[in-house]
Amino acid sequence: MTTARLFDTHPGLTQAAGSRDVFAACIEACEQCAAACTSCADACLAEPGIAHLADCIGSNLNCADICATTARIVARQQGASKTVTLSLAELCAEVCRSCADHCEQHADSYEHCRICAEICRRCENACRELARELG
Amino acid sequence: MTTARLFDTHPGLTQAAGSRDVFAACIEACEQCAAACTSCADACLAEPGIAHLADCIGSNLNCADICATTARIVARQQGASKTVTLSLAELCAEVCRSCADHCEQHADSYEHCRICAEICRRCENACRELARELG
Amino acid sequence: MTTARLFDTHPGLTQAAGSRDVFAACIEACEQCAAACTSCADACLAEPGIAHLADCIGSNLNCADICATTARIVARQQGASKTVTLSLAELCAEVCRSCADHCEQHADSYEHCRICAEICRRCENACRELARELG
Amino acid sequence: MTTARLFDTHPGLTQAAGSRDVFAACIEACEQCAAACTSCADACLAEPGIAHLADCIGSNLNCADICATTARIVARQQGASKTVTLSLAELCAEVCRSCADHCEQHADSYEHCRICAEICRRCENACRELARELG
């Protein structure tokens, strides 16, 4: 768990240990989800049914960008704002939920959509957990 | 105005002309703000007073990432969600306001902070304008 | 020209004025190209001919990411390496050339591909100019 | 190993199994390195010795951006170019090597620099492995 190890080395660390785990879990779920959505969009582009996947691809691209940025913002403790982190965690959870819904529609046809939907749901939960911690 | 020209060529375009201008202005303000915050963080790193600028740099880095992602999400019409775009525009406005506040504290000492604060305020306004359009 | 104004405020600035213009032109061309490729990929997703555009979309997504990162790296003077900047400028020029080639194949059918190809060529040139400056 | 699982679901997959492992290892090393460099830059900002860390922070920020983009480009198979992937893998290896060198100078003083240097070396190796595979 590199993220958690590095989070703990920050000289200005203020979070209690339990809270740090919630932060670290959110960062890692976001990184994994960003990667999964990037790969799922790419796999969708190569499917014969691409014409029905346009919204799914757009949703994947948005989710990849939001998750990558959420991972960075949650990881940064310098100049951090609790209000911003909370709003972003809630927004990211919503984007992950929406992307999971898109991918689930194609989960029976495409294995990448099935895996990606699972990872999006996990990231949605990790973001909601962080939002609860901060709320 | 490349952004606006490209926005208009989208085959699924649904926004009225007035609304498109608000989208395009928000995208361009976010791109410019992301670039300014990246440069301001870099210039702060080279200042002799760097020890007092740590929060300003952290704030610049967060603002650069949020603005870059907001520009991409607002530009994408495929799989877009009005709720997500609205929340993100409000969040980005808040991040820009906070970064402008940080930079303004150093505006008398550092020209890059003075310019960056100005650009953050402009981006805050463009994001609020888009939020009003969608609200 | 915000980029150039901010570039000039860096306290560790070492480039001569003529060289700074080449840096600033490259940064701005990369930012514009990243935005154009993001929009073109999105517009391609909404075209009825999407099945023939999969490679063009993949190429747009790659070009958007490389150009966005090139803009950031070229803008950062702290910890910069001339070797890295030169290699990245050459790589970015190559990615822009390849994306322009993809988009040009559809320039007669799709206005977004025509505009995007133009912007990619411009960015390719700005990157080559920077590579010459550094080489 | 989500990355490898998703890589394998791509309908246009052309790489042999051994080659796919090299791609997946490079993607995961780049994602981890991007996260480590983001966290290390943030921790450096909070150190009392920040005035000596400015180049290390700049190097971390560049490495984070290059690694994040390399992970995306290597993961995308649609519209991929072997020449571009090879050049990018070599460039990313060089950026990781340089960032590891910076961090190692502070490894005795700062645990985050020690961990980050380790992760950068691992990513350098994974990128060189991919370059060999493609070369």
Side-chain angles (χ1 to χ4, degrees), chain B residues 6 8 11 22 24 26 28-29 31 34-35 43 48 51 65 77 81 87-88 92 100 107-109 127-129:
Chain B
L6 273 161
D8 283 356
V22 180
C26 179
E28 296 195 343
E31 287 161 2
D65 284 337
Q77 302 178 54
S81 143
S87 299
L88 186 56
C92 192
D108 289 345
S109 312
C127 289
R128 292 209 196 284
E129 196 71 32

Side-chain angles (χ1 to χ4, degrees), chain B residues 2 5-6 9-11 31-32 35-36 38-39 42-43 45-47 64-65 72 75-78 111-112 115 119, chain C residues 2 5-6 9-11 31-32 35-36 39 42-43 45-47 64-65 72 75-78 111-112 115 119:
Chain B
T2 314
R5 270 170 75 207
L6 273 161
T9 63
H10 195 287
E31 287 161 2
Q32 193 177 37
T38 297
S39 291
D42 182 60
L45 283 173
E47 293 293 353
D65 284 337
R72 285 184 164 205
R76 281 194 199 110
Q77 302 178 54
Q78 201 63 33
E111 179 69 0
H112 47 85
I115 298 174
I119 295 174
Chain C
T2 313
R5 272 170 76 207
L6 273 160
T9 63
H10 195 287
E31 287 161 3
Q32 192 175 38
S39 290
D42 181 61
L45 283 173
E47 292 293 354
D65 284 337
R72 284 184 164 205
R76 280 195 200 111
Q77 303 178 54
Q78 200 65 33
E111 180 69 0
H112 47 85
I115 299 174
I119 295 174

Side-chain angles (χ1 to χ4, degrees), chain C residues 3 12 18 45 50-51 55 59 80 82 96 112-113:
Chain C
T3 302
L45 283 173
I50 182 172
D55 273 343
S59 179
K82 197 175 142 174
C96 289
H112 47 85
C113 284

Side-chain angles (χ1 to χ4, degrees), chain A residues 84-124:
Chain A
V84 165
T85 310
L86 173 56
S87 299
L88 185 57
E90 286 171 345
L91 176 62
C92 191
E94 178 56 24
V95 171
C96 289
R97 190 199 56 68
S98 164
C99 189
D101 287 351
H102 273 106
C103 280
E104 256 164 28
Q105 293 172 29
H106 314 286
D108 289 345
S109 312
Y110 307 122
E111 180 68 0
H112 47 85
C113 284
R114 197 187 60 69
I115 298 173
C116 190
E118 259 179 47
I119 295 174
C120 287
R121 297 280 178 217
R122 218 145 55 204
C123 190
E124 180 195 354

Side-chain angles (χ1 to χ4, degrees), chain D residues 19 22-23 26 70 74 82-94 123-135:
Chain D
S19 178
V22 181
F23 274 74
C26 179
T70 301
V74 175
K82 198 175 143 174
T83 323
V84 165
T85 310
L86 173 55
S87 299
L88 185 57
E90 286 171 345
L91 176 62
C92 191
E94 178 57 23
C123 189
E124 179 195 356
N125 289 338
C127 289
R128 292 210 195 283
E129 197 71 33
L130 179 60
R132 258 190 302 274
E133 184 75 25
L134 294 167

Side-chain angles (χ1 to χ4, degrees), chain A residues 66 87-88 91, chain B residues 22-23 26-27 30 66-67 69-71 73-74 81-97 123-135:
Chain A
I66 287 280
S87 299
L88 185 57
L91 176 62
Chain B
V22 180
F23 274 74
C26 179
I27 297 165
C30 284
I66 286 281
C67 284
T69 287
T70 301
I73 306 271
V74 175
S81 143
K82 197 175 143 174
T83 322
V84 165
T85 310
L86 173 56
S87 299
L88 186 56
E90 285 171 346
L91 177 62
C92 192
E94 178 56 23
V95 172
C96 289
R97 190 199 56 71
C123 190
E124 180 195 356
N125 290 338
C127 289
R128 292 209 196 284
E129 196 71 32
L130 179 60
R132 257 190 302 273
E133 183 74 24
L134 293 167

Side-chain angles (χ1 to χ4, degrees), chain C residues 34-57:
Chain C
C37 288
T38 297
S39 290
C40 187
D42 181 61
C44 285
L45 283 173
E47 292 293 354
I50 182 172
H52 301 101
L53 294 171
D55 273 343
C56 188
I57 296 171

